[in-house]
Amino acid sequence: MSSRFSAAIAAGLALISLAIACWPGTALAGMLAYSAAVALYLAYLGVAGCASGVLLWPAVVLHIVLTALLLRSSMVRRVASRGDFDRNTM
């Protein structure tokens, strides 16, 4: 797989995530979808041997951490919107 094709797939993932972010609600869902999709795609490229480089695995880790933080933020917002949010439990 060429690097141009890989970049095109990453751009496609960004467009899909932008569409999700433009739906009614928050943009958090779009950011979460993009970060999770790119983390999975970059990990696939690394495991399949289609891509290599010094910054590939740090980028995968960065996107996994970002996905975890966005997921946590999404859960905190959901609990806070229900009204049973207690700061002492976090």
Side-chain angles (χ1 to χ4, degrees), residues 43-83:
Y44 164 75
L45 288 177
V47 170
C50 299
S52 63
V54 177
L55 296 178
L56 176 65
W57 291 108
V60 171
V61 170
L62 175 73
H63 279 284
I64 289 172
V65 168
L66 183 60
T67 300
L69 291 173
L70 287 169
L71 190 59
R72 182 176 184 269
S73 176
S74 171
M75 288 180 176
V76 167
R77 279 187 181 203
R78 187 172 300 139
V79 169
S81 69
R82 286 195 321 228

Side-chain angles (χ1 to χ4, degrees), residues 1-18 33-46 48 50-51 63:
M1 182 180 306
S2 72
S3 61
R4 288 182 188 171
F5 188 68
S6 299
I9 289 177
L13 292 173
L15 286 174
I16 292 170
S17 299
L18 179 63
Y34 175 73
S35 186
V38 168
L40 290 172
Y41 182 62
L42 289 176
Y44 164 75
L45 288 177
C50 299
H63 279 284

